[in-house]
Amino acid sequence: MKVSIERSALLKAMSQAQSVVERRNTIPILANVLIEAEGNTASFRATDLDIEVVDKTPAMVERAGSTTVGAHTLHEIVRKLPDGAMVDLTDDGASGRLEVSAGRSNFSLATLPKEDFPVMASSDYECNFTANAAVLRRLFDKSKFAISTEETRYYLNGVYMHASDRDGEKVLRCVATDGHRLARIDAPLPENAESLPGVIVPRKTVGELRKLLEDDDADIAVSVSETKVRFATPEITLTSKVIDGSFPDYTRVIPQGNTRRLEVDAAEFAKAVDRVSTVSSERSRAVKLALDEDRLILSVNAPDSGAAEEELAVAYGDERLEIGFNAKYLLEIAGQVDRENAVFMFNSSGDPTLMREGNDETAVYVVMPMRV
């Protein structure tokens, strides 16, 4: 194999591949990237057995062929090469070495046989549709903060993507929850997505997918089966196993009858919560919200470190209410608001609270209160 690739194109392909590869591997071949050169493209394939990414990039192929080489090492080399350099990758197949050269720099890297590289079995996808990158980015970006990190409740370790309907309108919906907070984000259902089976997209896949969604105008081909999900652009294909488990009935958690309405500037609210929570103890991080007519008092009382209080002008016209929350959860939810105002709907100090952006029903958040 002998192939020449421009440094920035190679770096882009390698950074996508190496981020899938786990740092510590018991199986040596999983630390490698499979490089295949043919025609006028080179493809870079990496896997951790749960996720597989294939990145195709234009290349000048003198001799077609394939080999596998340490993903992190090659990525670091390419990253340190000067911008605009042409990188030559040469493998004669017999020496067990890949020669990497650019300008006056030469590297010789150990390779492993390409036959040992595990390629994810292809499966039949029963649902195939196309979605805009900006739409998918919003769905996953706004929901991923609520993904659970508890290994015991593995079915919550991802984002539940499914077709649903809201007030008679068909929607593509992403939901994530960890039992303390929940995010439910909707977008218009793309064509051909009606048959979408509900799948739980794992946390790592959500993180890797983000890199495919940078370009607002790009269209992403999405394919879903009971066991796998695939996202593809013309250059990159990301295939992932889905979490094998059933996502709980989240609709029961979303409060319907909350009537006490608080409207507040999201950025000001987040800054105030951040300021008062400075004195809270690391473990509980509880912030108390005291609501009265058109004013909100945020307070923290930590016996071991001190107390803090801040008053905000808000729009609130209901009876007096005191309710406590984990400061981290409030900050994360307020950070999701793109518009100026966040609307909180309360019931009582012991019931879940609903938050949305203005009157926007396509993004709904729920947060559980805590005793303060």
Side-chain angles (χ1 to χ4, degrees):
M1 178 183 91
K2 186 168 187 192
V3 59
S4 300
I5 306 173
E6 202 272 318
R7 181 243 179 204
S8 61
L10 180 56
L11 181 63
K12 186 167 175 282
M14 281 308 303
S15 57
Q16 181 82 37
Q18 63 90 32
S19 66
V20 170
V21 174
E22 292 289 344
R23 284 279 172 191
R24 290 196 296 276
N25 263 314
T26 47
I27 308 168
I29 193 80
L30 291 183
N32 281 18
V33 57
L34 172 63
I35 305 170
E36 296 170 297
E38 196 179 352
N40 56 2
T41 58
S43 73
F44 297 82
R45 185 185 298 261
T47 184
D48 66 357
L49 296 181
D50 289 325
I51 304 175
E52 179 187 76
V53 66
V54 184
D55 199 318
K56 292 188 173 73
T57 189
M60 290 192 296
V61 181
E62 270 186 53
R63 227 180 23 249
S66 53
T67 186
T68 83
V69 67
H72 293 304
T73 312
L74 182 55
H75 174 252
E76 281 299 293
I77 288 171
V78 177
R79 191 174 65 79
K80 292 172 183 176
L81 288 173
D83 216 3
M86 282 304 285
V87 185
D88 294 328
L89 305 175
T90 314
D91 180 2
D92 62 8
S95 62
R97 287 276 183 273
L98 175 74
E99 307 295 332
V100 181
S101 59
R104 296 181 180 181
S105 309
N106 293 289
F107 303 87
S108 180
L109 305 179
T111 61
L112 286 171
K114 62 177 185 295
E115 292 75 27
D116 295 350
F117 194 87
V119 173
M120 201 177 261
S122 61
S123 61
D124 291 332
Y125 295 101
E126 60 230 44
C127 178
N128 298 282
F129 62 93
T130 302
N132 177 266
V135 171
L136 285 176
R137 188 172 68 224
R138 175 180 173 273
L139 284 171
F140 285 101
D141 273 5
K142 284 183 171 294
S143 56
K144 67 184 179 189
F145 75 92
I147 296 175
S148 171
T149 51
E150 274 182 59
E151 294 302 323
T152 48
R153 302 167 78 184
Y154 63 92
Y155 49 85
L156 297 181
N157 294 161
V159 172
Y160 181 47
M161 179 175 78
H162 59 299
S164 185
D165 62 67
R166 190 186 74 250
D167 304 332
E169 182 194 348
K170 297 268 185 223
V171 292
L172 176 62
R173 177 174 287 178
C174 282
V175 180
T177 181
D178 63 358
H180 303 290
R181 61 246 161 103
L182 175 144
R184 189 199 77 192
I185 317 297
D186 292 346
L189 191 68
E191 256 185 273
N192 305 324
E194 294 81 8
S195 61
L196 175 70
V199 288
I200 306 169
V201 184
R203 183 199 295 101
K204 183 175 174 183
T205 309
V206 172
E208 293 302 324
L209 172 61
R210 186 68 180 77
K211 296 170 190 143
L212 273 73
L213 307 176
E214 296 295 341
D215 180 5
D216 279 3
D217 302 326
D219 281 331
I220 311 292
V222 185
S223 307
V224 185
S225 73
E226 296 285 339
T227 55
K228 288 199 190 80
V229 60
R230 188 177 71 198
F231 300 91
T233 66
E235 297 83 34
I236 305 172
T237 304
L238 175 71
T239 312
S240 168
K241 291 179 181 171
V242 298
I243 293 174
D244 181 18
S246 53
F247 200 79
D249 180 8
Y250 61 88
T251 51
R252 298 211 318 268
V253 186
I254 299 173
Q256 303 297 333
N258 288 11
T259 52
R260 300 179 180 185
R261 186 177 193 275
L262 159 72
E263 190 162 341
V264 59
D265 182 306
E268 290 300 317
F269 177 72
K271 286 176 192 160
V273 170
D274 198 21
R275 281 192 288 268
V276 297
S277 65
T278 314
V279 299
S280 66
S281 65
E282 271 306 302
R283 199 172 53 82
S284 70
R285 298 216 46 189
V287 171
K288 185 163 90 173
L289 280 65
L291 285 156
D292 221 331
E293 191 153 334
D294 288 347
R295 70 176 193 157
L296 163 66
I297 296 173
L298 296 165
S299 61
V300 167
N301 197 349
D304 45 353
S305 58
E309 187 176 291
E310 181 161 340
E311 188 174 320
L312 285 176
V314 296
Y316 180 76
D318 278 285
E319 57 202 69
R320 190 172 159 70
L321 174 70
E322 288 193 356
I323 187 167
F325 292 104
N326 181 317
K328 177 171 168 275
Y329 297 164
L330 279 185
L331 285 172
E332 284 182 335
I333 282 184
Q336 302 306 317
V337 179
D338 297 328
R339 302 194 182 97
E340 285 182 10
N341 286 357
V343 172
F344 288 88
M345 302 296 288
F346 301 99
N347 188 27
S348 74
S349 60
D351 292 320
T353 293
L354 191 83
M355 196 281 282
R356 60 173 191 262
E357 305 175 40
N359 293 321
D360 185 5
E361 296 282 344
T362 64
V364 171
Y365 307 92
V366 179
V367 60
M368 299 299 285
M370 62 189 288
R371 286 205 188 95
V372 283

